[in-house]
Amino acid sequence: MAILNVTLNLLSNNSFVKAAGDIKFVNSSLKETGGILDDIAKKEDRLKKIQIFSGLSTISTNVFSSLKSISDSVERTVGKVGEFASQGDRIAKTSRLVGLSVKDYQAFDQAARHAGMTTEEMDGALKRFNVNLGKARGGDSKSFKIFDSILGGKKLSEFKDSTSLLSAVADGYAKLGSAEQKAFVSQELFGKSGLKMTELLQGGGENLKIQLDSAIPGFSEQGAKDAEEFNDALQDMNGTIGSIKISVMEGLF
């Protein structure tokens, strides 16, 4: 019990929680602590049930209190870093999902907000675009016809990334005659947020490039990757804390 208390008290020291590596260390140490609690819970003997139940109750109270102290300590230490880590984590994951680099995804986000879209609307539009692109490249005739009509004879195989393809789509928008045509193509390519994408793309590819180039840089590729790792480490630690609590309660059950 003394070892358990010392371990938990030591882990609550802020000096251990400075970055993802340190949080991983806390998580690893917590898992070892959980193993100690499992051993204690498994040593129950029917003849000593009341005594052990009382002991486990005391342990559970102390452990829950100590785990809360650790969690609060991490939260205070991480502070704003945790908020930015969550933001970087979202950017890293969403940029992969929509087929853009971290830099281009953030640039599109800024340009889309200038066009009156929310980040959520832009994400939905780009996800739908990426799905339709996959269908077209996979041989779906309906999706292929939509891209073919907007690209003016250029082949999808000519485009190695979504950014250059979206620029070509913007050039195609500029050549569409009526608002009805633009609305139809927008809806087919980008889904329910397509009409708002028209505002972003109708100036043509060069105008889109200017908007993207003028965007203020945010997370770098490496920075977003680091934020993702940091956020994952925090989630792992919270999961371990929850697991230890369950382990203690199982002993009481």
Side-chain angles (χ1 to χ4, degrees):
M1 189 64 187
I3 295 175
L4 178 62
N5 285 336
V6 169
T7 303
L8 290 173
N9 287 333
L10 181 62
L11 287 172
S12 67
N13 190 319
N14 285 352
S15 63
F16 285 135
V17 191
K18 296 176 183 175
D22 295 308
I23 293 173
K24 288 180 180 178
F25 168 76
V26 171
N27 191 36
S28 174
S29 300
L30 282 170
K31 287 178 180 177
E32 293 176 8
T33 302
I36 295 173
L37 295 174
D38 280 338
D39 289 341
I40 293 174
K42 289 175 182 177
K43 290 179 180 177
E44 178 177 356
D45 183 276
R46 286 183 177 275
L47 297 176
K48 299 179 180 178
K49 181 174 290 185
I50 296 177
Q51 181 182 356
I52 291 181
F53 180 84
S54 177
L56 285 175
S57 296
T58 301
I59 290 173
S60 68
T61 300
N62 291 340
V63 169
F64 276 48
S65 177
S66 298
L67 291 177
K68 186 177 186 304
S69 175
I70 294 169
S71 182
D72 290 346
S73 176
V74 171
E75 186 175 340
R76 287 194 303 271
T77 304
V78 171
K80 286 293 182 182
V81 178
E83 292 182 23
F84 279 100
S86 295
Q87 182 182 347
D89 178 73
R90 183 192 66 79
I91 288 171
K93 287 179 169 59
T94 308
S95 63
R96 288 197 298 270
L97 203 58
V98 300
L100 295 172
S101 67
V102 166
K103 178 180 178 294
D104 286 347
Y105 170 75
Q106 292 174 101
F108 265 102
D109 185 29
Q110 292 184 37
R113 281 187 274 117
H114 284 308
M117 298 180 72
T118 65
T119 297
E120 290 72 22
E121 287 174 331
M122 184 204 70
D123 287 349
L126 291 178
K127 287 175 185 177
R128 176 65 181 271
F129 178 82
N130 212 33
V131 168
N132 287 330
L133 175 59
K135 287 182 178 180
R137 283 179 167 161
D140 181 78
S141 58
K142 181 181 178 182
S143 299
F144 179 81
K145 286 179 181 178
I146 293 296
F147 279 101
D148 190 51
S149 67
I150 196 73
L151 292 177
K154 293 181 180 179
K155 296 181 180 180
L156 283 175
S157 58
E158 295 180 35
F159 303 97
K160 303 303 180 183
D161 57 77
S162 293
T163 304
S164 60
L165 176 57
L166 283 164
S167 180
V169 168
D171 281 334
Y173 265 85
K175 296 174 183 177
L176 291 176
S178 66
E180 290 78 10
Q181 283 181 303
K182 291 179 180 178
F184 173 75
V185 172
S186 295
Q187 192 76 18
E188 291 297 313
L189 284 178
F190 300 104
K192 64 181 181 180
S193 296
L195 292 179
K196 291 189 176 182
M197 284 295 290
T198 303
E199 181 67 24
L200 175 62
L201 300 175
Q202 65 182 353
E206 189 59 34
N207 179 267
L208 178 63
K209 184 177 185 302
I210 291 173
Q211 291 187 70
L212 298 182
D213 289 344
S214 65
I216 302 172
F219 279 93
S220 64
E221 293 283 345
Q222 186 60 48
K225 181 180 178 181
D226 291 342
E228 198 172 9
E229 181 179 351
F230 185 92
N231 206 48
D232 288 346
L234 280 176
Q235 291 178 7
D236 287 345
M237 190 199 72
N238 288 330
T240 298
I241 287 176
S243 177
I244 292 176
K245 288 181 178 180
I246 292 172
S247 177
V248 174
M249 294 310 298
E250 283 181 341
L252 291 175
F253 296 157

